């Protein structure tokens, strides 16, 4: 318990009282009087607003007295008031914030000078009008201010300077703002935002609360217990190295090891926070969470939350076996924030309780911070059938078709947070306009993804086109070497790297899909242009995510339009273009599955990339007989098509299945049936455009 004698160096040891008036103002007046009487500063009171300042000190100024600032009578009155205040406090000193102060002292274990400084800061927070009184003193510069306050507190200047140092405890945990070289007496001791919030929280507590109750209240304010996990650890089997992280945390809890930290990052809504809660539940460890906002003020800046995290570690020192969760850490640490580096690094190295840090975006974080984490794991969703089923049930409550809900639940961009958001929005959609609702929701999803840096079209249900073109047929594809070699390599080796190149529409993408069916494997189609990120490092992350997803699912991975960024590095104009190609090569070497890449511009491929493909399969245009067969399958006058001669088809030597399909669909969209002569005319135009380089987009067999 605090001793009043030690605080004001006047009274006897007394037991604290819990009733009666509060003596905050009296103690503050004692300190102010002593500051006014500090040797060397008595004659600096020329600007002293005698009337207002004397009134704040509780001194009555006689109307006819000689009480001008700096006069002997003026100083005598202040000295008399200081003695009177000191005497009046003997026996019954009470502070309105004593429960808060006692809890902080018990928690922080400060020395006597630090206690005095903390009390002084709390007094100034309780009576902000005193700042103006202090301004009138004209005690300027750091050394003068420290010396004056030390004399007022009856302490050594050296000890006070040490207590106010930025590396000292009170400033380190940001209960106090560290003073600078230009600090004057009025801003020498500044309570930090966290201390202000603690004062507000304590002031809301009933007077009848015990010190233990206050301590619990502070604990809940700084790091309240986290809510019960909504999911079990089995729901997160898709998270990489999950069991290793659990073993790591379990060892940290059992050995009481210091400086144990895990960083979970990923897009919003992927379940990072729920994963942290599920991990704590699995380990039967209490989980405490640094709040993202204050219940009273609403706002908690990143800096305040970091201060709270440091203070929370002191709370948890006596609660070993617990885990601390710090969410949305990107708001607290940025490359531009130089102030936090030193003590944050110390926090990571000396934290008593293991911490799970969560971030939606680590791109803007200083690498010096990131290097200090033992685990840095990207969470992309659980990737489990259980999560897909939960999302499906959630989405089926929307005014959409069952097929739309089922397909949307299986999309890579669908997260629990997005599903929750859609459910909220869907409350305002008309129940019977199913198709319109689906289109509006897809538009909202596109905008949400774009805001997160993912510009991609969203089409949950592929529009069913009229069956005006036959399904995939291997005999319509001309390759060198044959496709039998491709399938044999994929079956025998298990892991294969194959490059498919040739003109647009030759069947490269369609064959990759067919190969996945024959191997009885899932199929992942990734466009090269979708891998390109908006920010530095984003492309590399997208490449890694693509390969990771294929490895987890055992899918055949197709990188369509790979030449978008796998062009020769000698053509690169920016450093990140080179690093993207390098990252791709590294991940390709490590990929233990079937990988195919398609390109229409084989010559532009980086030579180092080409060397890593086991097979390079060239797709060529159709011959006359193949063109005849496909035309016959597409037109209504099949007899006329079958009668076509080689001379009639000889000039159509640059056609692919995709170009024929484009011509057929063009006729249909213009309202014409596909007849032989009309289709031949359309094919001539398609071929002309192709040979002139106007049409460049690949066309395939599969819708």
């Amino acid at each position: 318990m605090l001793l009043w004698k030690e605080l004001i160096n006047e009274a006897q040891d007394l037991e604290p009282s819990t009733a009666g008036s509060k003596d905050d103002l009296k103690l503050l007046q004692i300190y102010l009087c002593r500051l006014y009487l500090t040797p060397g500063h008595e004659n600096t009171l020329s600007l002293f607003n005698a009337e207002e300042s004397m009134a704040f000190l509780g001194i009555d100024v006689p109307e006819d007295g000689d009480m001008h600032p700096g006069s002997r009578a003026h100083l005598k009155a202040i000295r008399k008031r200081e003695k009177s205040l000191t005497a009046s406090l003997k026996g019954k000193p009470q502070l309105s914030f004593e429960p808060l102060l006692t809890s902080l002292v018990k928690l922080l274990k400060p020395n006597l000078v630090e206690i005095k400084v903390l009390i002084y800061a709390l007094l100034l927070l309780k009576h902000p009008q005193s700042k103006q009184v202090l301004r009138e003193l004209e005690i300027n510069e750091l050394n003068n201010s420290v010396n004056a306050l030390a004399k007022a507190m009856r302490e050594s200047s050296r000890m006070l300077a040490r207590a106010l140092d930025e590396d000292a405890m009170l400033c380190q945990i940001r209960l106090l703002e560290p003073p600078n070289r230009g600090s004057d007496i009025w801003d020498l001791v500044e309570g930090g935002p966290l201390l202000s919030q603690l004062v507000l929280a304590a002031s809301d507590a009933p007077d009848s609360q015990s010190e233990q109750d206050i301590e619990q209240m502070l604990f809940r304010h700084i790091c309240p217990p986290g809510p019960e996990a909504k999911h079990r650890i089995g729901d997160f089997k898709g998270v990489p190295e999950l069991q290793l992280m659990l073993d790591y945390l379990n060892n940290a809890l059992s050995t009481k090891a210091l400086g144990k930290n895990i960083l979970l990052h990923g897009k919003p809504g992927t379940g990072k926070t729920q994963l942290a809660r599920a991990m704590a539940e699995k380990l039967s460890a209490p989980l405490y969470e640094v709040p993202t906002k204050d219940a009273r003020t609403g706002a908690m800046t990143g800096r305040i939350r970091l201060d709270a995290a440091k203070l929370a570690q002191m709370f948890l020192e006596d609660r070993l076996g617990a885990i601390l969760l710090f969410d949305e850490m990107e708001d607290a640490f940025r490359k531009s924030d130089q102030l936090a580096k030193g003590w944050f690094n110390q926090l990571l190295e000396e934290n008593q309780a293991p911490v799970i840090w969560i971030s939606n975006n680590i791109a803007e974080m200083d690498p010096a911070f990131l290097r200090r984490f033992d685990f840095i794991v990207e969470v992309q969703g659980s990737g489990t059938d259980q999560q897909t089923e939960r999302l499906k049930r959630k989405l089926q409550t929307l005014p959409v078709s069952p097929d739309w809900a089922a397909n949307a639940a299986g999309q890579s961009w669908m997260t629990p947070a997005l599903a929750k958001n859609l459910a909220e929005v869907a409350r305002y959609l008309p129940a019977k306009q199913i198709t319109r609702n689906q289109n509006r929701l897809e538009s909202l999803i596109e905008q949400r993804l774009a805001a997160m840096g993912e510009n991609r079209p969203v089409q949950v249900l592929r529009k069913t086109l009229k069956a005006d073109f036959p399904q995939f047929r291997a005999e319509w594809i001309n390759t060198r070497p044959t496709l039998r070699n491709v399938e044999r390599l994929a079956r025998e080796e298990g892991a294969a790297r194959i490059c498919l190149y040739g003109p647009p529409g030759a069947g490269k993408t369609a064959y990759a899909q067919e190969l996945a069916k024959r191997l009885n494997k899932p199929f992942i189609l990734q466009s090269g242009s979708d891998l390109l990120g908006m920010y530095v490092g984003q492309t590399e992350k997208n490449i890694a995510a693509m390969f990771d997803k294929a490895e987890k699912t055992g899918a055949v991975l197709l990188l369509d339009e790979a030449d978008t960024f796998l062009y020769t590095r000698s053509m690169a104009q920016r450093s990140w273009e080179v690093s993207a190609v390098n990252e791709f090569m590294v991940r390709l070497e490590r990929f233990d599955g079937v990988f195919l890449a398609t390109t229409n511009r084989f010559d532009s491929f980086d030579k180092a990339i080409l060397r890593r493909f086991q097979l390079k399969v060239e797709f060529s245009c159709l011959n006359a007989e193949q063109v005849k067969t496909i035309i016959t399958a597409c037109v209504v006058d099949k007899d006329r098509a079958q009668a076509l001669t080689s001379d009639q088809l000889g000039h159509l030597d640059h056609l692919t299945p995709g170009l024929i399909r484009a011509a057929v669909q063009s006729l249909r969209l213009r309202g014409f049936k596909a007849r032989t002569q009309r289709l031949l005319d359309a094919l001539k135009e398609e071929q002309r455009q192709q040979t002139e380089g106007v049409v460049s987009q690949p066309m395939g067999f599969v819708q």
Side-chain angles (χ1 to χ4, degrees):
M1 198 60 67
L2 301 178
L3 300 179
W4 195 255
K5 178 185 73 173
E6 295 174 334
L7 295 178
I8 66 173
N9 300 94
E10 296 288 349
Q12 301 297 316
D13 295 358
L14 298 166
E15 291 295 323
S17 174
T18 59
S21 61
K22 307 304 182 185
D23 296 319
D24 306 23
L25 182 59
K26 289 183 179 181
L27 180 58
L28 180 58
Q29 289 172 336
I30 289 174
Y31 283 140
L32 293 178
C33 285
R34 291 175 178 177
L35 283 171
Y36 296 154
L37 300 171
T38 301
H41 299 286
E42 310 99 313
N43 299 319
T44 64
L45 306 175
S46 59
L47 298 180
F48 188 85
N49 189 323
E51 185 175 350
E52 293 183 7
S53 299
M54 297 287 274
F56 185 83
L57 293 177
I59 300 174
D60 295 327
V61 181
E63 296 181 0
D64 57 349
D66 183 17
M67 290 290 287
H68 61 271
S71 67
R72 183 174 300 179
H74 179 260
L75 297 176
K76 182 179 179 181
I78 296 176
R79 190 174 295 110
K80 181 180 178 181
R81 177 60 174 168
E82 188 267 343
K83 291 182 179 180
S84 173
L85 287 168
T86 301
S88 70
L89 288 177
K90 291 182 179 181
K92 297 181 181 180
Q94 297 178 35
L95 298 175
S96 63
F97 49 79
E98 187 166 347
L100 169 63
L101 179 63
T102 303
S103 297
L104 290 176
V105 170
K106 181 180 178 181
L107 171 67
L108 305 177
K109 301 176 178 63
N111 59 40
L112 177 60
V113 178
E114 289 173 329
I115 293 175
K116 288 186 177 183
V117 171
L118 185 57
I119 290 175
Y120 184 65
L122 289 167
L123 290 172
L124 295 180
L125 284 173
K126 284 286 188 176
H127 301 279
Q129 64 270 37
S130 61
K131 286 295 187 79
Q132 185 58 41
V133 181
L134 286 169
R135 287 178 181 270
E136 302 291 347
L137 276 171
E138 292 192 336
I139 303 177
N140 303 320
E141 300 183 353
L142 180 62
N143 289 337
N144 292 334
S145 300
V146 169
N147 291 335
L149 185 59
K151 288 182 173 65
M153 292 181 171
R154 306 293 195 258
E155 293 292 343
S156 110
S157 299
R158 181 177 58 85
M159 293 297 295
L160 180 60
R162 183 179 297 177
L164 294 174
D165 189 88
E166 64 179 354
D167 293 326
M169 178 193 56
L170 295 178
C171 292
Q172 191 180 63
I173 63 176
R174 305 288 297 186
L175 285 178
L176 299 183
E177 297 287 352
N180 54 55
R181 288 184 177 274
S183 293
D184 301 327
I185 191 63
W186 67 270
D187 64 347
L188 179 65
V189 178
E190 286 278 352
L194 180 60
L195 185 62
S196 300
Q197 290 206 343
L198 294 178
V199 170
L200 288 173
S203 65
D204 289 339
D207 292 339
S208 61
Q209 284 193 317
S210 65
E211 290 176 2
Q212 186 176 3
D213 293 333
I214 293 293
E215 184 177 345
Q216 291 296 324
M217 181 275 297
L218 290 178
F219 186 70
R220 290 193 300 272
H221 182 80
I222 294 170
C223 51
E228 183 180 351
K230 295 182 179 179
H231 307 296
R232 300 294 178 260
I233 201 67
D235 298 334
F236 297 92
K237 292 180 179 179
V239 176
E241 304 299 344
L242 178 58
Q243 186 57 50
L244 186 58
M245 284 193 291
L246 287 170
D247 294 341
Y248 169 87
L249 286 173
N250 189 50
N251 181 74
L253 294 171
S254 60
T255 62
K256 303 178 181 178
L258 302 180
K260 300 300 180 182
N261 301 273
I262 289 176
L263 171 56
L264 304 178
H265 70 100
K267 299 172 185 175
T270 53
K272 301 181 294 295
T273 304
Q274 291 300 325
L275 170 59
R277 292 168 181 168
M279 292 169 69
E281 184 181 81
K282 177 67 176 179
L283 298 172
S284 300
L287 182 70
Y288 299 96
E289 303 183 10
V290 177
T292 57
K293 59 182 179 180
D294 180 68
R296 176 165 178 168
T297 64
M300 285 190 75
T301 64
R303 177 56 59 86
I304 296 177
R305 296 182 66 230
L306 286 175
D307 301 340
K310 185 72 173 181
L311 195 54
Q313 284 294 340
M314 295 184 175
F315 271 107
L316 294 176
E317 186 176 359
D318 298 327
R319 295 172 170 82
L320 296 177
I323 298 173
L324 184 65
L325 175 64
F326 193 107
D327 207 346
E328 300 180 17
M329 66 172 296
E330 67 275 5
D331 294 336
F333 301 105
R334 303 197 182 273
K335 293 178 180 179
S336 59
D337 190 357
Q338 300 296 322
L339 298 175
K341 285 186 178 180
W343 70 266
F344 173 63
N345 291 338
Q346 185 181 10
L347 174 61
L348 289 179
E349 295 170 356
E350 301 178 1
N351 50 305
Q352 301 283 337
V355 184
I356 301 176
W357 304 81
I358 294 177
S359 173
N360 295 325
N361 181 18
I362 63 173
E364 294 300 314
M365 294 182 60
D366 195 305
F369 295 153
L370 299 178
R371 285 194 294 267
R372 297 182 178 269
F373 289 95
D374 299 316
F375 281 86
I376 300 179
V377 177
E378 183 176 13
V379 181
Q380 299 177 325
S382 69
T384 63
D385 294 337
Q386 295 96 319
Q387 173 166 300
T388 301
E389 194 59 34
R390 285 196 303 271
L391 292 173
K392 182 179 177 181
R393 290 196 297 270
K394 184 74 172 178
L395 295 174
Q396 283 178 340
T397 62
L398 278 57
V400 296
S401 68
D403 288 344
W404 193 95
N407 282 19
Q411 299 296 321
S412 61
W413 40 257
M414 183 56 69
T415 65
L418 177 56
K420 181 180 179 181
N421 176 259
L422 294 178
E424 181 64 26
V425 173
R427 295 166 51 196
Y428 307 98
L429 296 177
K432 297 182 178 181
Q433 299 180 11
I434 302 298
T435 302
R436 186 167 181 242
N437 292 342
Q438 292 171 175
N439 293 335
R440 295 172 75 179
L441 291 176
E442 288 175 5
S443 176
L444 289 174
I445 295 169
E446 281 190 9
Q447 296 177 52
R448 188 180 181 95
L449 294 176
M452 297 187 311
E454 296 184 57
N455 292 300
R456 65 168 75 179
V458 174
Q459 188 178 46
V460 176
L461 297 177
R462 292 190 176 273
K463 296 180 180 178
T464 304
L465 299 177
K466 189 177 179 180
D468 50 16
F469 198 79
Q471 296 296 313
F472 173 86
R473 297 182 189 177
E475 60 267 23
W476 291 352
I477 294 180
N478 299 320
T479 64
R480 188 176 57 184
T482 66
L483 295 179
R484 289 192 298 272
N485 294 332
V486 178
E487 187 172 347
R488 184 173 63 252
L489 174 65
R491 291 187 182 278
E492 293 178 357
E493 298 293 332
R497 299 186 292 273
I498 304 163
C499 177
L500 311 178
Y501 68 97
K508 302 182 292 294
T509 303
Y511 173 71
Q513 293 176 293
E514 180 68 16
L515 178 63
K517 290 180 182 178
R518 295 184 181 185
L519 298 176
N520 196 27
K521 291 178 176 290
F523 178 72
I524 294 177
L525 171 62
Q526 181 73 61
S527 173
S529 58
D530 289 341
L531 293 177
L532 300 176
M534 297 174 59
Y535 308 103
V536 176
Q538 188 62 48
T539 300
E540 291 87 333
K541 288 181 59 179
N542 293 341
I543 292 170
M546 173 185 70
F547 281 107
D548 288 342
K549 183 179 180 180
E551 287 179 344
K552 292 176 186 176
T553 59
V556 172
L557 175 60
L558 172 66
L559 180 60
D560 207 7
E561 304 174 15
D563 50 85
T564 304
F565 71 96
L566 293 182
Y567 48 79
T568 177
R569 283 168 288 180
S570 63
M571 298 169 58
Q573 299 180 0
R574 302 174 180 86
S575 60
W576 64 263
E577 294 176 326
V578 175
S579 65
V581 176
N582 292 338
E583 173 68 15
F584 179 84
M585 288 193 294
V586 172
R587 296 305 300 248
L588 182 61
E589 288 284 356
R590 292 167 49 188
F591 181 61
D592 188 24
V594 179
F595 173 82
L596 301 100
T598 70
T599 178
N600 305 325
R601 298 181 293 175
F602 183 76
D603 293 340
S604 68
F605 254 35
D606 189 277
K607 297 301 185 285
I609 295 286
L610 289 177
R611 288 196 298 271
R612 285 163 168 79
F613 289 109
Q614 299 159 290
L615 276 180
K616 304 173 190 64
V617 182
E618 180 182 12
F619 283 63
S620 55
C621 296
L622 300 168
N623 58 42
E625 190 60 33
Q626 289 171 321
V627 172
K628 179 179 177 179
T629 303
I630 298 175
I631 289 176
T632 302
C634 295
V635 298
V636 294
D637 52 342
K638 298 183 183 301
D639 293 340
R640 186 170 182 179
Q642 290 174 347
L644 291 172
T645 65
S646 298
D647 292 339
Q648 291 175 294
L649 299 172
H651 61 286
L652 299 174
D653 55 356
H654 289 86
L655 293 181
T656 62
L659 289 177
I660 299 178
R661 178 184 181 184
V664 171
Q665 292 181 348
S666 175
L667 290 175
R668 180 177 61 81
L669 293 174
R670 289 155 50 196
F672 298 118
K673 291 184 178 180
R675 297 186 177 276
T676 301
Q677 188 57 50
R678 191 175 285 149
L679 181 56
L680 288 173
D681 294 338
L683 289 174
K684 291 178 183 178
E685 178 62 20
E686 289 286 347
Q687 180 174 270
R688 182 187 66 80
Q689 293 179 346
Q690 175 68 12
T691 55
E692 292 180 0
V694 176
V695 177
S696 60
Q697 71 273 18
M699 297 288 185
F701 291 93
V702 183
Q703 301 282 349

